[in-house]
């Protein structure tokens, strides 16, 4: 019999530097009396992240969503953008804010990313870009996507909110496509409390982004375009510099958590691990499984609810599908028969608790619960010796 955990176990916890180091970092900001609008902390974080992510250019923002909204604006897209329905609402909301129409493409059953083989059939004369998401840190098929984009002269943007530090065959994830967005929200591997960034190749885009995130001001009395306020402030940047010191160590700790889950879940029928990448190929952002109810004996939703009785709070990222939002439901590409894999995966996917501080004993406990739920499933006949 597995016991209920005394303290709640959440899907994730933020990476937190020691409070004294945070106080010292914020102290420097206070002494400078420079709190925002591109101060020293901002400059330093930008430099260190450009180096860490190994990218040509980077621009920091106050969150990932506004980074994506303004990145899309900077690329001057029009008409339709082909994207995935299996993502966080922010991905498609960034299109909405740019008055662009999403065209939903079904997903790959293994990676749960946009299915590169289904993109071409969705291209029309209104298509201006492909917006892929590296879901749970698993990379999209960047080669195939770029080939399609080159053939039809489309831009490629990646939502890499989950992909901090991932590499594809040694190449940094932020170097693919025209632009990649990263989220530095509290729940991300690297956080600045709230925050985000865009990485890109074109220096001119960098100049445009600098204007877009600062009201379009080219000088104190000259406004050249319609922008927003989307700047990262000095306190966020100062905290980010402290968190960045901990990221490599956090990756090692999360690798142990991943290993423990994998060892303990390996032989439970009906469970497939989606986020099994290791080392530099992994962002160590989430640990996600897929439940095949016909083999496991229980549905994903049943497990999700039942685990709460044990004080374990999993998440059904990304439920519901974006294509089911009431303002998209009428679109042709949003019809369930056009998205069979996404419709299936959205019923099966579950994010398990995952963070460096999670004790390995707790991971073993969660796996024991998952095993017991399977063995006690109603339709299963106990195997006799
Ligand atoms: N694109 C994609 C693919 C994304 O996943 C996201 C964000 C974005 C774009 C947009 O990026 P940002 O604009 O957010 O930078 C969370 C995050 O708020 C969101 O950033 C993230 N994706 C999404 C997948 O997850 P919720 O609604 O699940 O967060 P919440 O508050 O329920 O937190 C989850 C758990 O984390 C809590 O149960 C406990 C723990 N937690 C949370 C916070 C905020 C803490 O322990 N401490 C905390 O401070 O959205």
């Amino acid at each position: 019999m597995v016991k209920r955990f005394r303290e709640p176990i959440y899907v994730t916890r933020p990476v937190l530097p020691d409070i004294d180091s945070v106080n010292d970092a914020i102290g420097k900001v206070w002494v400078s009396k420079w709190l925002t609008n591109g101060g020293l902390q901002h400059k330093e974080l930008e430099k260190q992240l450009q180096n860490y992510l190994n990218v040509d250019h980077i621009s920091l923002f106050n969150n990932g969503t506004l980074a994506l909204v303004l990145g899309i604006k900077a690329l001057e897209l029009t008409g339709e953008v082909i994207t995935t329905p299996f993502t966080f609402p922010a991905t498609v909301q960034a299109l909405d804010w740019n008055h662009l129409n999403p065209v939903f493409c079904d997903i790959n059953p293994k990676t749960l990313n946009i299915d590169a083989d289904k993109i071409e059939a969705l291209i029309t004369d209104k298509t201006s870009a492909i917006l892929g998401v590296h879901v749970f840190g698993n990379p999209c098929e960047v080669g195939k996507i770029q080939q399609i984009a080159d053939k039809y002269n489309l831009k490629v943007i990646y939502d890499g909110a989950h992909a901090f530090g991932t590499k594809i065959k040694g190449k940094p994830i932020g170097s693919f496509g025209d632009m990649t967005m990263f989220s530095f929200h509290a729940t991300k591997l690297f956080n600045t409390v709230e925050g985000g960034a865009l990485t890109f190749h074109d220096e001119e885009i960098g100049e445009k982004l600098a204007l877009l995130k600062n009201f379009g001001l080219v000088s104190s009395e000259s406004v050249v375009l319609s922008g927003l306020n989307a700047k990262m402030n000095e306190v966020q940047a100062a905290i980010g510099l402290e968190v960045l010191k901990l990221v490599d160590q956090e990756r090692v700790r999360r690798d142990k958590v991943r290993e423990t889950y994998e060892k303990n879940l390996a032989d439970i029928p009906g469970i497939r691990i989606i986020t099994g990448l290791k080392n530099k190929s992994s962002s160590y952002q989430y640990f996600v499984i897929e439940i095949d109810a016909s083999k496991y004996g229980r549905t994903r939703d049943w497990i999700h609810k039942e685990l709460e009785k044990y004080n374990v709070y999993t998440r059904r990222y990304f439920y519901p599908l974006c294509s089911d939002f009431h303002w998209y439901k009428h679109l042709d590409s949003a019809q369930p028969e056009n998205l069979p894999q996404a419709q299936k995966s959205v019923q099966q996917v579950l994010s398990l608790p995952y963070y460096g501080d999670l004790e390995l004993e707790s991971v073993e406990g969660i796996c024991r619960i998952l095993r017991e739920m399977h063995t006690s499933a109603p339709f299963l006949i106990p195997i006799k010796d």
Side-chain angles (χ1 to χ4, degrees), residues 12-14 64-65 88 159 161-162 181 183 185 188 286 315 317:
T12 193
R13 301 312 320 252
T65 306
F88 197 62
D159 176 337
H162 303 174
M181 179 276 271
S183 163
H185 181 262
K188 297 299 185 288
Y286 291 107
R315 292 304 271 265
Y317 295 134

Side-chain angles (χ1 to χ4, degrees), residues 44 50 104 126 131 160 171 174 190-191 206 256 263 281 301-302 309 317-318 321:
E44 182 59 25
Q50 184 185 358
F104 294 107
K126 297 198 191 86
L131 170 54
K171 257 194 109 181
F190 167 70
N191 84 82
K256 295 220 165 62
K263 200 167 88 199
S281 310
D301 287 349
W302 187 91
K309 296 187 185 158
Y317 295 134
F318 297 106
L321 290 177

Side-chain angles (χ1 to χ4, degrees), residues 74-308:
L75 291 175
E76 297 180 9
L77 306 182
T78 54
E80 296 173 353
V81 175
I82 299 174
T83 192
T84 170
F86 189 71
T87 182
F88 197 62
T91 312
V92 285
Q93 286 167 350
L95 296 176
D96 285 351
W97 282 95
N98 279 288
H99 309 291
L100 294 163
N101 299 315
V103 174
F104 294 107
C105 179
D106 206 6
I107 60 173
N108 175 301
K110 274 227 151 61
T111 61
L112 311 186
N113 290 329
I114 191 166
D115 188 338
D117 293 330
K118 301 210 167 122
I119 292 175
E120 208 162 346
L122 298 170
I123 294 174
T124 69
D125 55 4
K126 297 198 191 86
T127 310
S128 61
I130 301 165
L131 170 54
V133 181
H134 303 304
V135 174
F136 307 133
N138 282 344
C140 290
E141 292 174 276
V142 292
K144 270 191 197 171
I145 292 175
Q146 195 58 55
Q147 258 176 15
I148 299 167
D150 291 344
K151 184 168 164 193
Y152 293 92
N153 196 22
L154 307 175
K155 298 280 186 206
V156 178
I157 310 144
Y158 287 110
D159 176 337
H162 303 174
F164 189 85
T166 307
K167 294 198 167 119
I168 307 176
K169 292 187 185 143
K171 257 194 109 181
I173 195 96
S175 64
F176 295 98
D178 293 277
M179 191 177 269
T180 300
M181 179 276 271
F182 294 92
S183 163
F184 306 151
H185 181 262
T187 54
K188 297 299 185 288
L189 176 77
F190 167 70
N191 84 82
T192 57
V193 183
E194 292 263 7
L198 289 171
T199 61
F200 44 91
H201 307 286
D202 182 352
E203 212 171 334
E204 273 179 33
I205 288 283
E207 286 160 20
K208 205 153 173 200
L209 289 172
L211 291 172
L212 282 168
K213 69 179 166 184
N214 191 30
F215 317 99
L217 281 168
V218 76
S219 69
S220 59
E221 290 172 13
S222 170
V223 186
V224 292
L225 51 77
S226 181
L228 275 176
N229 181 359
K231 292 160 286 163
M232 178 180 281
N233 67 52
E234 288 291 278
V235 175
Q236 285 175 293
I239 293 174
L241 283 165
E242 293 307 309
V243 176
L244 193 56
K245 293 177 190 161
L246 305 178
V247 165
D248 286 344
Q249 169 192 327
E250 176 70 9
R251 290 168 67 83
V252 172
R253 297 173 82 200
R254 289 188 187 200
D255 192 49
K256 295 220 165 62
V257 176
R258 176 199 60 76
E259 206 174 74
T260 309
Y261 268 128
E262 288 194 358
K263 200 167 88 199
N264 288 279
L265 296 177
D267 59 342
I268 305 181
I271 292 185
R272 179 174 82 89
I273 294 157
I274 290 164
T275 45
L277 294 175
K278 292 182 220 168
N279 305 324
K280 292 188 169 140
S281 310
S282 176
S283 64
Y284 292 102
Q285 176 57 58
Y286 291 107
F287 187 87
V288 186
I289 58 171
E290 187 178 77
I291 309 287
D292 178 346
S294 69
K295 296 196 182 111
Y296 184 84
R298 311 273 193 188
T299 64
R300 184 277 312 270
D301 287 349
W302 187 91
I303 300 166
H304 170 66
K305 264 259 113 348
E306 192 70 9
L307 279 170
E308 289 181 8

